[in-house]
Structures are given as C-alpha cells and as structure tokens.
C-alpha cells in the first residue's frame, strides 16, 4: 500500500480548485484500505483517551463538501473507535429562529469542544460564506442592521465576513483548540453516479431530495466559492486539506492519517502522573482493598 505524506494534502498557498485531485490511488485493495483505516482509527481512539486525561487541548474537525461527498459515512468510520464521552458531532442545518436571533457564528461557538474533547462539525461555519454566497438572499434572514437588501451584500461584506472567520479561528487556536479543516473534493461525474444510486436503490431514497438537483445545477458557483474560501482561510493554525473523495475508503483513511500524524507531533500530550504523595502510598491503598 502506498505511503502517504499528509503535507501533500495541506493547502499552503493559493490554489485552483480544478487542479486539486478528486482521486488518489493508494495501490491497495478496498479491504487493505479498510484495514489500514481500522488500524489508524484505533490509534486515534487511544490518543483521544490520552488527550481526555491530559485535558489541555481541544480538537475541532471541520468537514465540508458538496452533496454526496461522503461526510456522514466518513464521520461514522473514522471516529467509531473513539470513547463516546470524548467526541461529539454537530450537523449544522438551516439556522433556526433562535440561531438567527444571534450573530452567524454564535451557534458554532457554543458547539466548540471543551478541553480534552473532539468536536466534529458536519458542515461548518463556512456555510456562511458558501451557501449564503450562492444564495445571498439567505443573508437577509440574519437581520443585520447594515443589510437591508441584496444590494448591500457586496464584496466588502464578504471581505469582512472572511476576516471575522479568520479571527474566530485564530482566537480559539491561540486558546488551545487544534483545528482540522477537510474539503472532500468530489468530482461532478462521481456526484452524478452517487445521486443515481440514491434514486435506483429503494433503501437510499430517503437520502434524496429534488433540491439536490437544483444545487447541482449551481456546481460551478459552489466551486468558485469553495476555492475563494479555501484560499482566504487556509492558515498555519487552521489549515485546509484537500481530500480526494471519489473513493470513500481512501478519503476516510487519508483524513484519519492526517489527524493522527498531526496530533502525534504534540509531544506534551501525556496522561497526567499521580501526585507524589498518592504514588508513595499505592501499596497501602492496594493493601486496604485486598483486606476488605
């Protein structure tokens, strides 16, 4: 199986999204890739337990991608060896009335992980510069004082919003949150195949909505918005990773490997040692229990 260098997927300079791969040959069978994922996932689960005990870092995993790019199944497979007490997944849908009563980052801020835990954002705060940019009329629902019509949603508006997102991520990174941002790069042809599978298999019908086709018709607009968002917000403290997503097992393995390789570099993450006084009396505590 081909060894991967996680830096090959990190966005460190301005990119053209059309030049980023949506496929990546690992030169291995699907079973071999699944076994490799299981191996790395177990190591991640063990590391998560250590981070939970260490209780100083939080981890935020942001997953973005077009419809059918495999976000849900990736979360299921990559994180299935985690202790449930240390990880939570948030799927951000259309904002509720309560959420619209606050600024657009509020619902994301209150979902951030506490120290020692992982949070997975399935669709993220980037929806606020993706979906809303393709459909600017959605911004009007936010009731921003300076925005009274779509004409007020100009380039200066988006510049400010990107600045706010960068500041948000810089703030949480400086306060102990390790940020991963994964763009699941699916080709348009593969999305077509996956939508057809949803329509041709009765058990997958529940996943399909006619709106999927309406959004697919806006593919080029979404690609332009993704490219701009990635270029403006891939920072050393919060990098974007382009994940080739045409093959789901490959995408899952790459995400898990990037996370494990990156977190393993934090050599200060260790299980805390017992207090010296407690350690000195271990034999006594053992004796007490044995003599009950």
């Amino acid at each position: 199986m081909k060894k991967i260098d996680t830096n090959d997927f990190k966005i460190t300079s301005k990119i053209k999204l059309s030049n980023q791969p949506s496929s990546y040959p690992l030169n291995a069978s699907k079973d071999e890739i699944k076994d490799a994922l299981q191996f790395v996932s177990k190591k991640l689960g063990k590391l998560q337990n250590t981070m939970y005990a260490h209780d100083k870092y939080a981890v935020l995993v942001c997953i973005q991608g077009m419809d059918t790019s495999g976000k849900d199944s990736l979360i299921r497979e990559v994180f299935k060896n985690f202790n449930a007490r240390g990880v939570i997944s948030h799927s951000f849908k259309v904002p509720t009335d309560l959420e619209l009563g606050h600024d657009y980052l509020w619902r994301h801020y209150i979902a951030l992980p506490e120290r020692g835990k992982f949070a997975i954002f399935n669709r993220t705060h980037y929806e606020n510069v993706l979906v809303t940019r393709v459909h600017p009329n959605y911004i009007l629902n936010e009731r921003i004082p300076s925005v009274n019509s779509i004409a007020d949603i100009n380039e200066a508006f988006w510049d400010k919003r990107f600045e706010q997102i960068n500041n948000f991520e810089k703030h949480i990174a400086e306060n102990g949150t390790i940020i991963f941002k994964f763009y699941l790069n699916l080709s348009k042809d593969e999305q077509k195949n996956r939508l057809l599978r949803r329509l041709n298999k009765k058990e997958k019908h529940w996943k399909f909505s006619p709106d999927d086709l309406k959004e697919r018709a806006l593919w080029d607009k979404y690609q332009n918005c993704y490219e701009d968002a990635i270029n403006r917000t891939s920072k050393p403290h919060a990098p974007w990773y382009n994940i080739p997503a045409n093959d789901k097992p490959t995408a899952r393995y790459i995400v898990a490997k990037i996370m494990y390789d990156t977190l393993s570099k934090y050599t200060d993450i260790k299980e805390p040692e017992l207090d010296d006084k407690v350690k000195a009396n271990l034999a006594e505590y053992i004796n007490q229990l044995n003599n009950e």
Side-chain angles (χ1 to χ4, degrees):
M1 181 170 168
K2 181 179 179 180
K3 289 186 178 181
I4 65 172
D5 183 345
T6 58
N7 287 320
D8 290 343
F9 306 93
K10 185 186 290 188
I11 305 300
T12 57
S13 59
K14 192 171 183 179
I15 55 105
K16 285 287 293 180
L17 196 54
S18 59
N19 293 333
Q20 296 297 304
S22 57
S23 296
Y24 189 86
L26 284 173
N27 301 329
S29 67
K30 286 193 178 294
D31 285 342
E32 289 173 325
I33 297 171
K34 288 179 181 178
D35 289 344
L37 170 60
Q38 178 71 356
F39 178 74
V40 177
S41 179
K42 284 183 176 179
K43 291 170 73 174
L44 264 176
K46 184 177 180 180
L47 179 57
Q48 176 242 321
N49 275 328
T50 301
M51 294 185 72
Y52 185 87
H54 185 243
D55 199 28
K56 289 188 177 180
Y57 291 100
V59 178
L60 175 61
V61 182
C62 300
I63 301 176
Q64 285 285 162
M66 297 291 286
D67 290 337
T68 77
S69 59
K71 297 180 289 294
D72 292 335
S73 61
L74 183 146
I75 292 168
R76 181 189 69 231
E77 297 300 322
V78 170
F79 297 95
K80 65 182 179 182
N81 288 304
F82 276 48
N83 189 317
R85 70 181 180 179
V87 61
I88 188 167
S89 178
H90 299 274
S91 184
F92 292 100
K93 306 293 186 182
V94 176
T96 65
D97 288 341
L98 173 62
E99 291 166 345
L100 288 170
H102 297 266
D103 72 272
Y104 71 95
L105 285 174
W106 177 79
R107 66 174 180 160
H108 306 287
Y109 200 94
I110 63 173
L112 288 172
E114 60 188 273
R115 300 189 190 283
K117 294 188 177 183
F118 284 61
I120 307 157
F121 284 6
N122 181 355
R123 299 191 183 273
T124 72
H125 45 291
Y126 283 95
E127 292 291 285
N128 298 287
V129 288
L130 293 167
V131 175
T132 54
R133 208 168 179 190
V134 175
H135 302 282
N137 54 298
Y138 292 173
I139 294 289
L140 301 180
N141 295 328
E142 297 181 20
R143 306 191 301 279
I144 302 170
S146 60
V147 178
N148 298 306
S149 69
I150 290 180
D152 296 321
I153 308 170
N154 52 25
E155 282 306 306
F157 174 89
W158 297 116
D159 290 343
K160 177 58 69 174
R161 186 154 282 200
F162 279 116
E163 180 184 3
Q164 291 163 349
I165 288 174
N166 281 325
N167 288 340
F168 165 68
E169 292 178 350
K170 184 177 181 182
H171 170 70
I172 63 174
E174 289 176 345
N175 284 275
T177 298
I178 301 167
I179 305 170
F180 295 95
K181 298 186 298 194
F182 298 113
Y183 170 63
L184 303 188
N185 192 350
L186 184 74
S187 71
K188 192 175 184 181
D189 285 344
E190 180 59 22
Q191 188 196 56
K192 177 181 177 179
N193 293 336
R194 292 182 186 182
L195 287 170
L196 285 170
R197 280 199 292 273
R198 288 182 179 182
L199 291 168
N200 290 325
K201 292 188 176 183
K202 187 176 180 179
E203 66 273 19
K204 292 185 180 292
H205 282 179
W206 67 272
K207 291 185 175 183
F208 179 79
S209 166
D211 287 341
D212 295 340
L213 300 185
K214 293 178 182 178
E215 292 298 281
R216 176 174 166 80
L218 300 170
W219 179 276
D220 290 341
K221 286 187 177 180
Y222 273 107
Q223 294 298 293
N224 290 336
C225 290
Y226 266 111
E227 179 177 296
D228 194 35
I230 290 170
N231 283 331
R232 291 201 197 201
T233 63
S234 194
K235 307 293 182 182
H237 58 272
W240 276 101
Y241 293 88
N242 177 76
I243 306 299
N246 279 1
D247 180 72
K248 289 184 178 182
T250 297
R252 296 164 187 165
Y253 172 68
I254 292 172
V255 165
K257 190 73 165 59
I258 288 171
M259 290 178 59
Y260 181 75
D261 287 355
T262 302
L263 293 173
S264 295
K265 295 176 182 177
Y266 287 78
T267 56
D268 58 323
I269 299 176
K270 298 176 182 178
E271 291 182 2
E273 294 188 6
L274 287 173
D275 178 88
D276 287 342
K277 185 176 180 180
V278 175
K279 192 185 297 184
N281 290 290
L282 282 179
E284 180 183 339
Y285 303 140
I286 294 171
N287 189 52
Q288 287 179 18
L289 287 168
N290 286 331
N291 289 321
E292 283 185 349

